Amino acid sequence: MAGFNTAITGLKAATTNLDVTGNNIANSSTIGFKASRTEFGDIYATAVVGAGSSNVAGSGVTVTDIAQNFQAGTTEFTNNNLDLAINGSGFFQLDDGQGGVTYTRAGAFELNKDGFVVSKSGKYLQGYGLDSQGNRLPIGNLAVDQKESPPQATNNIGLSFNINDAADPTLLSTPYDKDVPSSFTYSTTVRTFDSLGNENTVKYNIVEQRPVRDVYTVSAAVPTNLTISGVNVSFDAAGTPDPVALDTLKSTDKRIDTTTLAYNAAEGTISFETYAKYSSYGDMLINDAGGADITPEPTERDANENYSYTLAVPAADTTLTIGGVPIEIATSPTVPTLNDIADQIRARETDIKDRNPNVESVTVVDEAGSFRLDIRFKADYGNIGSEFSVSETGGTVLTAIPERTYEGDNSYRGQYQMFAYLNGTELLDIGKSVDPGESGFAIKPQDTLSEVGSVMLGFDPTTGFLNSVNGTTFSRGATAPQLTIKGADPANTETLINLDLSNSTQFASASIVKASSQDGYTKGDLIGVSFAETGEMVAAFSNGQKQNLGVVAFATFENQSGLQPAGDTEWGATLTSGNAVLNPPGTGLNGSLRSAALEQSNVDLSTELVRLIEAQRNFQANSKTLETLNTVTQAILQI
């Protein structure tokens, strides 16, 4: 009877189903395990010739396939960065070192004694190496081959600060001294590293320019020749300087206001002034006709504009108009004295200042028998020029006393000298041009050498934004010209540091550092390895640096159901699955990588237990078929 064979096929199929279900249950906690499902097909015995009726009893059942379920399991997060999970499609590719390649979703990796990333079975995780430029290399064994991070000298410093505009530069003590905090406006320090990894500091002292001009006086008999800042200037017997030489001097040494270069015959002195914003910027280099050095006598003069006039008693009634304010001076019935006129002017000082906001003071000075009227203007207004006048009746403008008349100069506003010191002591070269007349000086800026000393920073006095660095101006919003710091690396004198002061300001608020950065670091040791979502294996070092060591490769298949189980939750490629296609995570159809996470088994225990009951019932039912056929056979034998 064929029924016996049919029942036996049912028993075999049910047994296989029990085996598959039992294997699923046994691996419900296996990392990366994929559940299987038993698939069945019926058996019919047919013949090409003689197959008459379609009413043919079947011959039983057969197992057509044990199909893998590659649905992702749940992700469990861990504290180990070498635990990897795939969020999406793909497999890790493993190499046993002997040519055997398998694929897995179980990402419990570790480092072996040689620094390679291996699975629990000792197989090497595959990925792309990286060259020094970060370009991907061919697929190979991923390894942590960098155990330390070498030191890097500081090459770039970014510093952004605000200097309090409300600070009064006239309160600064003079002369400037790096060890006297009251002689500079603001100070801040940035740490740096030399090429051996030693930590250093660069201290910046910033000094706001006071409203003064430097006056240099040289004793000399005329005619004479003087070499000032490398330019030969000749003076004739009347003390008049060569005008061509003056133009050359002005274009050579931007600190000198050559229009004030003058000879005082009574004192036998030649004097000239520097612009206020360059006050104390550097020493004047002066030589006499014989080439000997002359040390000038520097003094300071306020940058305020000053006019002085000699006052006398008028012969008739007159109106003295000072800055548009008329003062009536009557000579009858009594001729006024100079004291009377002085009192009248003092009484109208407030009116003069109200009408002329740029006036700081109106002073009448007694000079032994005559009076002098001094008009002093506020320094912030710079050179007033013809905007202000003193006149008498009929509009006759009084002539100011030449030797007591000084033009205003407000170019000091928003101007700061910045000094830099290595470890707070050694003055550094941050780009200060070599002073005119010194060895190495050149007229063309691009040929000018630099030396230790300060550079000028300029802020727009109306907006407070930095607008010039070391004489180079730039527009608001643009990147500030970079300064080059020399000598800040004691281990390597060739190291140059770029200093970027962009976004620095001069607002009326507390002086603070708004941003500070530098790119140097000391030597570091490996402290851990992590992975990015896009597959980069990143080594972290104790000096805070990170380095990409490689990129994990994901493998995909045209038919992943055709993969052949190889044990240890690994699969091998077959002709049915097709060859692996390798790409980094997050590209194409590949999923992303999760570090410190493991994909758990995708076995659903409740479903498997139900399948277990079904398989048991199927086995019992097929056993009943055998029992029934046996009973029928016994009945036949008893006939």
Side-chain angles (χ1 to χ4, degrees), residues 155 257 528:
N155 292 303
D257 180 0

Side-chain angles (χ1 to χ4, degrees), residues 498-574:
N498 296 317
L499 174 61
D500 186 356
L501 300 175
S502 296
N503 300 318
S504 294
T505 54
Q506 182 200 20
F507 297 148
S509 61
S511 296
I512 59 170
V513 172
K514 299 194 293 184
S516 178
S517 64
Q518 61 87 33
D519 60 357
Y521 46 83
T522 188
K523 178 255 185 186
D525 297 314
L526 180 68
I527 58 175
V529 177
S530 61
F531 292 82
E533 287 190 357
T534 50
E536 288 84 1
M537 182 171 65
V538 183
F541 300 92
S542 59
N543 58 1
Q545 299 304 302
K546 294 182 178 181
Q547 181 178 349
N548 290 344
L549 303 179
V551 180
V552 177
F554 278 4
T556 55
F557 298 88
E558 290 294 333
N559 177 24
Q560 63 183 9
S561 297
L563 293 173
Q564 177 67 40
D568 292 327
T569 59
E570 298 172 10
W571 289 266
T574 66

Side-chain angles (χ1 to χ4, degrees), residues 153 194-195 422 426 485-497:
D194 63 24
S195 56
L422 177 63
E426 181 184 347
I485 304 177
K486 301 177 182 178
D489 183 351
N492 184 1
T493 57
E494 300 300 318
T495 299
L496 301 178
I497 300 177

Side-chain angles (χ1 to χ4, degrees), residues 225-227 232 286-294:
N225 291 330
L226 295 180
T227 301
N232 184 269
I286 305 174
N287 304 101
D288 61 18
D293 291 340
I294 299 177

Side-chain angles (χ1 to χ4, degrees), residues 232-357:
N232 184 269
V233 181
S234 61
F235 294 80
D236 61 21
T240 302
D242 177 10
V244 176
L246 288 185
D247 291 339
T248 303
L249 179 59
K250 186 174 182 179
S251 63
T252 300
D253 193 338
K254 304 298 184 181
R255 299 170 297 175
I256 296 178
D257 180 0
T258 55
T259 60
T260 65
L261 194 60
Y263 176 68
N264 187 322
E267 299 178 1
T269 59
I270 296 172
S271 64
F272 53 91
E273 297 182 0
T274 66
Y275 281 122
K277 67 179 179 180
Y278 292 114
S279 175
S280 303
Y281 186 71
D283 295 331
M284 289 289 128
L285 299 178
I286 305 174
N287 304 101
D288 61 18
D293 291 340
I294 299 177
T295 302
E297 298 178 7
T299 58
E300 287 184 349
R301 181 182 68 77
D302 291 344
N304 306 67
E305 186 166 359
N306 292 273
Y307 290 155
S308 294
Y309 305 88
T310 299
L311 296 182
V313 177
D317 293 349
T318 188
T319 299
L320 181 65
T321 303
I322 303 176
V325 176
I327 302 175
E328 303 294 340
I329 301 176
T331 57
S332 62
T334 304
V335 177
T337 66
L338 285 174
N339 283 327
D340 294 333
I341 298 174
D343 289 340
Q344 284 184 271
I345 295 173
R346 293 188 186 103
R348 302 298 300 276
E349 180 179 2
T350 301
D351 296 333
I352 296 171
K353 293 168 67 174
D354 289 343
R355 185 180 178 88
N356 301 273

Side-chain angles (χ1 to χ4, degrees), residues 84 180 219 296 375 379 460 493 498 528 551 582:
L84 304 179
V180 180
S219 297
I375 309 296
D460 187 329
T493 57
N498 296 317
V551 180
L582 296 172

Side-chain angles (χ1 to χ4, degrees), residues 5 20 47 100 110 131 170 172 178 219 224 242 266 314 370 387 420 466 492 508 565 616:
N5 289 331
V20 171
E110 59 190 11
D131 62 18
T170 63
L172 294 176
K178 66 179 178 64
S219 297
T224 187
D242 177 10
S370 65
E387 295 178 14
L466 183 70
N492 184 1
Q616 179 189 6

